[in-house]
Amino acid sequence: VQDITERYKRNRELELQSKLLNAVTDTIFIHNLDGSFVYVNEAAYKDRGYTKEELMSMKVQDLDYHDEKTGDEVYKENIKKIQQELKEMGKTKFEVSHKTKNGEIIPLEVTTRMFKEDDKSYIISIARDVSNLKEMYKNLQTSEKQYRDLVENSQIGIFNTKITGEIIYVNEAILEIMGYESQNEIKDKNIIHAYKDSAHRDSFISELMKHGRVEKVELVLITKNGEEKVVQVSAHLENEMISGICTDITESKKALDEIKKLSKAIEEIDDIIMITDTKGVITFVNDAFVKHTGYDREESIDKNASILKSGKHDEEYYKNIWTTLLNGDSFRGLFINKKKNGELYYEETTISSIRDDNDNITAFISTGKDITKRIEMEKNLEKLAATDKL
């Protein structure tokens, strides 16, 4: 009888370790300094399409793959570098590709360590398949490029700044708004100095800090050349970093101001103004129209201009007007129209066409003066001239 308890325990331990190593999905190699294998786990030979016996008869360098772009010289230099790091530090980490039995290429991330057993040096390598990571990284790079192209070519300004004003990033649209030629020219600037009104800047920052975001805030910025630019900004604050978009509304603001002035003038004047579509349906009236006709806006909008007909003009009269307008000419004449309450009034009117960019008539605008008092005065003068002997 021989006591084999310790050997039995060691065998059991080795068996357990073997099962654990085979259960690992990463490749595990143990090989001599010349590359000949001492141990490989199941993932090592199965992932490469070999039997255990086939792989054990090979060397680790038999699996290494490099394309023509890399070349033998570059590959040999990389191997030297790995060997040098192993010699100096006893461990290293690198990337390599293995070629399977059927010719597939597996990109790997390898962690290698040198160890000694019975005064003999061995190398243990754990290699992880990074195919999915490579694909994800490639997709990420593609997405990042698409995103960057989108940002750089956007007509809307996109920016990142610190809450203290230091500029982290701006796209081309911001450079154009602020009058700078390049990123290098603007990167050392502080956006705080670009605000025309410090009170507006403080209010903007205060709202950001309070709510974490702001929407469509109008600010006036001073450009590199000293010009004033009105911009509309939406931004959010995260960890002292402001990210947002900025649109130059300087010209549209001026145009809007002009439109407001024009609208005010249209409402203030006593001339009757009416806009209709090409079928005569009313789409706009001013205050003077309401005052002189008695029709509210709600009563007149979407109604046909014929609501003003008095019956004093025959169909030939209106036919002539439409012929003139559809030929692209303006009509000038006197209308006897009827108010909402049935009273008649005289309107000296000019009707012109409104055209789109393709020169197509899209609407008609009518401007007129109520000359009822003048007409009545003229009639009275004619009557007096005919009856008064004096």
Side-chain angles (χ1 to χ4, degrees), residues 333-352:
L334 181 67
F335 282 98
I336 303 174
N337 286 337
K338 185 170 67 174
K339 298 182 181 181
K340 181 182 177 181
N341 62 10
E343 289 181 24
L344 299 182
Y345 70 97
Y346 292 86
E347 184 180 326
E348 198 172 57
T349 305
T350 299
I351 306 175
S352 303

Side-chain angles (χ1 to χ4, degrees), residues 240-286:
E240 304 296 312
M241 187 73 71
I242 302 172
S243 301
I245 59 174
C246 171
T247 308
D248 183 358
I249 60 170
T250 307
E251 295 305 318
S252 58
K253 188 79 173 174
K254 288 179 182 176
L256 186 61
D257 289 342
E258 290 300 317
I259 289 170
K260 286 180 179 177
K261 290 176 186 175
L262 183 59
S263 297
K264 189 170 180 61
I266 287 172
E267 295 303 337
E268 292 293 331
I269 62 174
D270 197 45
D271 287 9
I272 299 167
I273 298 177
M274 175 176 67
I275 298 175
T276 72
D277 63 16
T278 54
K279 294 180 180 179
V281 176
I282 299 170
T283 57
F284 171 83
V285 294
N286 70 339

Side-chain angles (χ1 to χ4, degrees), residues 89-258:
M89 296 182 289
K91 61 181 180 179
T92 187
K93 192 173 184 178
F94 57 93
E95 288 189 6
V96 71
S97 292
H98 280 183
K99 191 172 184 178
T100 66
K101 188 175 181 179
N102 62 8
E104 291 181 21
I105 307 302
I106 308 174
L108 300 166
E109 183 182 75
V110 182
T111 302
T112 296
R113 183 180 294 273
M114 186 179 287
F115 70 96
K116 283 189 176 183
E117 183 71 27
D118 297 330
D119 294 327
K120 187 174 181 181
S121 294
Y122 299 94
I123 295 173
I124 180 170
S125 297
I126 301 174
R128 175 163 294 177
D129 185 343
V130 291
S131 303
N132 292 335
L133 286 175
K134 290 280 186 183
E135 188 64 26
M136 286 172 61
Y137 182 67
K138 183 180 177 182
N139 291 338
L140 185 63
Q141 284 183 311
T142 302
S143 297
E144 185 180 358
K145 183 180 183 304
Q146 290 172 343
Y147 173 75
R148 186 168 290 279
D149 289 344
L150 181 65
V151 168
E152 288 300 331
N153 295 315
S154 173
Q155 298 302 306
I156 297 173
I158 300 172
F159 64 88
N160 289 111
T161 68
K162 291 184 179 179
I163 199 166
T164 48
E166 291 91 339
I167 295 171
I168 306 302
Y169 170 80
V170 295
N171 70 343
E172 290 296 322
I174 294 284
L175 293 177
E176 187 174 341
I177 290 170
M178 297 303 295
Y180 288 94
E181 297 293 329
S182 66
Q183 297 278 351
N184 289 335
E185 194 179 5
I186 200 174
K187 70 177 181 179
D188 296 327
K189 308 295 180 184
N190 191 304
I191 195 65
I192 285 177
H193 305 306
Y195 291 93
K196 181 186 177 184
D197 191 329
S198 59
H200 287 174
R201 178 198 68 211
D202 295 341
S203 175
F204 172 69
I205 298 298
S206 176
E207 283 296 302
L208 264 177
M209 294 182 71
K210 184 178 180 182
H211 302 291
R213 65 187 306 109
V214 294
E215 297 288 341
K216 297 181 179 179
V217 175
E218 287 189 14
L219 299 168
V220 181
L221 301 179
I222 306 300
T223 69
K224 175 187 173 183
N225 301 321
E227 296 179 54
E228 290 186 13
K229 288 286 181 77
V230 184
V231 296
Q232 189 178 78
V233 178
S234 295
H236 70 271
L237 177 66
E238 187 174 354
N239 299 327
E240 304 296 312
M241 187 73 71
I242 302 172
S243 301
I245 59 174
C246 171
T247 308
D248 183 358
I249 60 170
T250 307
E251 295 305 318
S252 58
K253 188 79 173 174
K254 288 179 182 176
L256 186 61
D257 289 342
E258 290 300 317

Side-chain angles (χ1 to χ4, degrees), residues 25 33 46 59 134 137 150 167 180 184 248 299 310 326 346 353 362:
T25 55
L33 298 183
K46 285 185 176 180
K59 292 185 177 182
K134 290 280 186 183
Y137 182 67
L150 181 65
I167 295 171
Y180 288 94
N184 289 335
D248 183 358
E299 295 174 309
S310 64
L326 293 174
Y346 292 86
S353 59
T362 57

Side-chain angles (χ1 to χ4, degrees), residues 34-92:
D34 66 354
S36 57
F37 292 115
V38 176
Y39 170 84
V40 294
N41 69 343
E42 283 187 8
Y45 56 85
K46 285 185 176 180
D47 288 353
R48 287 153 186 78
Y50 294 101
T51 64
K52 185 175 181 179
E53 291 71 22
E54 285 176 326
L55 192 58
M56 289 297 290
S57 66
M58 299 167 63
K59 292 185 177 182
V60 68
Q61 51 266 39
D62 296 331
L63 296 172
D64 287 350
Y65 168 81
H66 59 276
D67 56 22
E68 294 179 1
K69 185 177 179 181
T70 303
D72 287 336
E73 293 301 319
V74 175
Y75 171 73
K76 288 175 182 177
E77 284 299 317
N78 288 337
I79 294 298
K80 284 182 182 178
K81 183 180 176 184
I82 292 167
Q83 290 173 341
Q84 185 67 27
E85 288 180 358
L86 273 174
K87 185 178 179 181
E88 292 176 0
M89 296 182 289
K91 61 181 180 179
T92 187

